[in-house]
Amino acid sequence: MPRMEEEILKLLTALRGRTPLTPEKRVRDFQLKVQRIKNGEPAELEGFLLLRKPPHAPDDAVYYILSPLQPSDLQKASTTSYLILRITENSRISGSVRSGSYVRVSGFMDSYPYGTLRMLNVAELRGGDYSEYWLQYDEIALSKKEFENLFMDTIYASYDFEKAFLYSLFASPRIVGSNRKWGEGVTFSTFKDRDRIVLSIWEAVKYITGLFPRELSLRKEKRWHFVDEHLDLDFVAYLPETPVRYYSPFSRTVLKNEIPAPKWAFRYFKSKDAVFLTPKKAKILPDDPLAYLSEVPFILNEPVGYEKNRELEQLIPNVIATIFKERAKMASMSLGDRELRIFRERFEDWIMKNRMEYGEKFDALRLSGMLFETNTRFLLSTHLLGSMARFEGGLRRSTISDVLIINQEILDTWMNEIPPDILMKAVKDYERYISGDRRANIALGIFMDLEATSADGSVSREEFHSALIRYGFKGGDAAKIIERLLREGYLYEPFAGRLRMIK
């Protein structure tokens, strides 16, 4: 019977639609929680610390304010609620604490001497993780279908474009074992040398990221001032620390830049410490620095459409709660995990398939700094895999296949769009790096692929030998090729059984 009641409740919820998580609901829940605690009773609460003295604060301690709402919501909420914090020399303070920080406080409840506000005598104040603010309401997270439909009803583009955009919103788990210390950020980029197409993408993305709270926006200025008219107090707030922030160009003037972002944002772009959602007006070049670090560098030939979506605007808190819920379920991935070892093998097979199909044209795109530089593209593909796994609710074999399908679509498009003279120049540059022995070149290419997808940049002799056999070398020939590459100085053996390339 309980199971049937649960199913009926789910059905009723689906019929009436999702209830938005409003600032007013957070305020009501906070007030109810505070009201239930009697004076003198222990209490533990969380909220945003505002380093501003409340009205008529006594001189016997330091008095600050705790808000249940993030600062950006305080400015637009129809109702607000505050708790006064009384901090003495006996109060323990830990973690990152500044005005606007999300904190957890514990102590004993009391009444504030002036007015009707309640007060907490603080025993401990700890800087918390901003993501916890969004994990308090787990039940309002959207299903995969609900999440997808909201955005599909807002952006009108190809299905692959829309899905890749959704994946990017979930950022990506950190990759344990990688030699690149990337954060959780991803880069969703699009390219075309036509104003109409580029501006249509920028306007659509700008609309959506503009719905997100200021706390999740990547900005140079990390603090701002605002006024609460109810208390007639002005506040200063800083952006909270969070591993997920979003950036889309603030102005159309940067869309022609090499990296469509201001200089102060470059370090976030290179270290992937933010989600970059940006189009670029540019010629299609294989060494484009934005494409080089993009998980999904799309080339679009048609404008993107969008329309303002009232339901999406109301459910943005639910959208963010969904993103943080899935992030909490998958915070990192290890290159040693079984699924990623399978992905690595599939990625290497994908490289070999396209080498056979495109020949030197593909190899030319895998040189250092090029769009498909193998190590970088493998890690970017792993990032994309993580984003998709968060969206799908888990890492599956089908997700691995989907990543390789997207990679193939991107490669085929770039092969067709790169001007022939630019592509031929890249091929000539590639030919400078190879010798005249075709079989040795194939073996060296296989080693490069193994090296590029390994955790530490080295490859075991046994692994290299097995890969050569898998790609058509006979057992005796494979052993001879390995010895030849060692003898002629292409490879070396830093310690027994492990091989590296001499660069």
Side-chain angles (χ1 to χ4, degrees), residues 104-133:
R104 289 181 177 275
V105 290
S106 59
F108 294 89
M109 193 62 72
D110 203 346
S111 297
Y112 188 56
Y114 300 93
T116 59
L117 292 171
R118 303 292 299 280
M119 179 178 73
L120 187 74
N121 291 295
V122 176
E124 184 177 11
L125 186 153
R126 305 188 307 276
D129 185 342
Y130 172 69
S131 63
E132 294 173 12
Y133 177 66

Side-chain angles (χ1 to χ4, degrees), residues 19-33 68-69 77-79 81 133 136-140 317-318:
T19 301
L21 175 58
T22 63
E24 288 73 22
K25 175 173 172 52
R26 284 192 183 270
V27 168
R28 286 196 302 272
D29 291 350
F30 182 78
Q31 287 176 331
L32 287 172
K33 187 173 182 179
L69 298 180
S78 59
T79 61
S81 178
Y133 177 66
Q136 293 179 50
Y137 291 86
D138 183 74
E139 70 279 2
I140 58 93
N318 305 62

Side-chain angles (χ1 to χ4, degrees), residues 28-190:
R28 286 196 302 272
D29 291 350
F30 182 78
Q31 287 176 331
L32 287 172
K33 187 173 182 179
V34 170
Q35 288 168 4
R36 291 192 186 106
I37 306 170
K38 297 178 181 179
N39 287 352
E41 289 185 346
E44 184 170 353
L45 298 157
E46 53 277 324
F48 291 87
L49 178 66
L50 299 175
L51 298 182
R52 178 71 159 82
K53 280 187 177 182
H56 312 293
D59 296 329
D60 61 335
V62 174
Y63 290 82
Y64 288 133
I65 298 173
L66 184 74
S67 164
L69 298 180
Q70 59 185 346
S72 62
D73 281 341
L74 276 174
Q75 297 176 269
K76 56 188 179 185
S78 59
T79 61
T80 59
S81 178
Y82 296 111
L83 178 71
I84 305 302
L85 301 180
R86 181 176 181 270
I87 302 172
T88 69
E89 59 183 12
N90 295 322
S91 303
R92 298 186 302 277
I93 299 177
S94 61
S96 176
V97 177
R98 58 182 179 176
S99 192
S101 293
Y102 185 73
V103 298
R104 289 181 177 275
V105 290
S106 59
F108 294 89
M109 193 62 72
D110 203 346
S111 297
Y112 188 56
Y114 300 93
T116 59
L117 292 171
R118 303 292 299 280
M119 179 178 73
L120 187 74
N121 291 295
V122 176
E124 184 177 11
L125 186 153
R126 305 188 307 276
D129 185 342
Y130 172 69
S131 63
E132 294 173 12
Y133 177 66
W134 295 103
L135 296 175
Q136 293 179 50
Y137 291 86
D138 183 74
E139 70 279 2
I140 58 93
L142 305 171
S143 69
K144 172 190 166 185
K145 192 65 178 175
E146 289 172 324
F147 195 99
E148 186 174 352
N149 287 343
L150 273 179
F151 288 90
M152 295 294 188
D153 291 341
T154 305
I155 296 180
Y156 303 105
S158 69
Y159 181 74
D160 291 333
F161 177 94
E162 292 175 347
K163 289 299 288 286
F165 178 78
L166 294 187
Y167 300 148
S168 301
L169 293 180
F170 283 81
S172 180
R174 291 179 181 271
I175 304 174
V176 178
S178 168
N179 56 0
R180 296 201 187 192
K181 303 305 179 185
W182 283 346
E184 296 187 35
V186 299
T187 302
F188 175 88
S189 62
T190 51

Side-chain angles (χ1 to χ4, degrees), residues 484-496:
R484 178 183 167 188
L485 293 175
L486 285 165
R487 186 173 62 252
E488 294 184 2
Y490 290 98
L491 306 179
Y492 72 105
E493 200 166 13
F495 48 92

Side-chain angles (χ1 to χ4, degrees), residues 191 258-259 280 283-293 364-365 367-372 414 418 422 425-426 429:
F191 299 82
E258 195 171 60
I259 303 295
K280 178 179 177 179
K283 292 181 179 179
I284 309 303
L285 300 175
D287 58 350
D288 186 282
L290 178 62
Y292 174 73
L293 280 180
L365 296 186
L367 290 177
S368 177
M370 290 292 190
L371 174 69
F372 279 90
W414 278 79
I418 297 173
I422 299 295
K425 181 180 181 300
D429 290 339

Side-chain angles (χ1 to χ4, degrees), residues 244-473:
V244 180
R245 292 194 192 282
Y246 297 88
Y247 169 86
S248 62
F250 304 121
S251 167
R252 60 188 289 177
T253 59
V254 303
L255 300 180
K256 297 179 181 179
N257 292 356
E258 195 171 60
I259 303 295
K263 289 184 178 179
W264 62 263
F266 285 4
R267 67 185 182 91
Y268 297 95
F269 171 77
K270 292 178 180 178
S271 61
K272 291 198 173 286
D273 282 323
V275 175
F276 281 77
L277 306 163
T278 178
K280 178 179 177 179
K281 184 184 178 185
K283 292 181 179 179
I284 309 303
L285 300 175
D287 58 350
D288 186 282
L290 178 62
Y292 174 73
L293 280 180
S294 295
E295 281 76 5
V296 281
F298 278 104
I299 297 174
L300 291 189
N301 291 310
E302 296 293 335
V304 167
Y306 86 98
E307 63 180 30
K308 293 186 177 182
N309 185 339
R310 176 68 172 166
E311 185 180 15
L312 174 63
E313 292 173 5
Q314 291 179 332
L315 292 178
I316 277 294
N318 305 62
V319 166
I320 298 169
T322 307
I323 291 171
F324 276 98
K325 176 185 176 182
E326 297 304 326
R327 177 191 171 272
K329 287 163 59 177
M330 183 180 285
S332 65
M333 299 187 302
S334 172
L335 290 178
D337 291 344
R338 181 172 178 272
E339 292 82 1
L340 289 193
R341 291 200 303 270
I342 293 171
F343 177 61
R344 178 188 172 189
E345 291 176 2
R346 294 280 304 278
F347 184 85
E348 289 163 359
D349 290 343
W350 179 80
I351 290 285
M352 179 57 69
K353 167 185 170 292
N354 282 286
R355 178 184 287 142
M356 299 297 290
E357 180 177 346
Y358 286 114
E360 290 186 343
K361 291 181 180 179
F362 180 57
D363 286 332
L365 296 186
R366 299 194 306 120
L367 290 177
S368 177
M370 290 292 190
L371 174 69
F372 279 90
E373 178 187 303
T374 310
N375 178 253
T376 302
R377 186 52 51 185
F378 170 70
L379 293 176
L380 289 169
S381 299
T382 306
H383 248 222
L384 176 59
L385 183 68
S387 298
M388 293 173 70
R390 281 180 173 177
F391 175 75
E392 299 288 347
L395 182 54
R396 305 180 180 93
R397 295 287 181 91
S398 60
T399 315
I400 292 175
S401 298
D402 290 343
V403 170
L404 296 176
I405 289 170
I406 291 175
N407 274 359
Q408 190 65 49
E409 179 186 346
I410 292 169
L411 173 61
D412 292 342
T413 304
W414 278 79
M415 280 292 187
N416 290 325
E417 293 278 351
I418 297 173
D421 58 326
I422 299 295
L423 187 56
M424 290 312 299
K425 181 180 181 300
V427 170
K428 289 180 180 178
D429 290 339
Y430 164 74
E431 289 174 344
R432 296 193 194 121
Y433 292 94
I434 63 173
S435 65
D437 189 319
R438 182 174 176 275
R439 284 171 60 79
N441 290 336
I442 293 174
L444 200 57
I446 292 170
F447 183 87
M448 290 169 65
D449 298 337
L450 294 172
E451 178 191 48
T453 56
S454 69
D456 63 356
S458 70
V459 179
S460 73
R461 184 186 285 260
E462 181 182 356
E463 182 182 17
F464 186 27
H465 187 272
S466 297
L468 289 173
I469 292 174
R470 191 164 85 244
Y471 291 120
F473 286 80

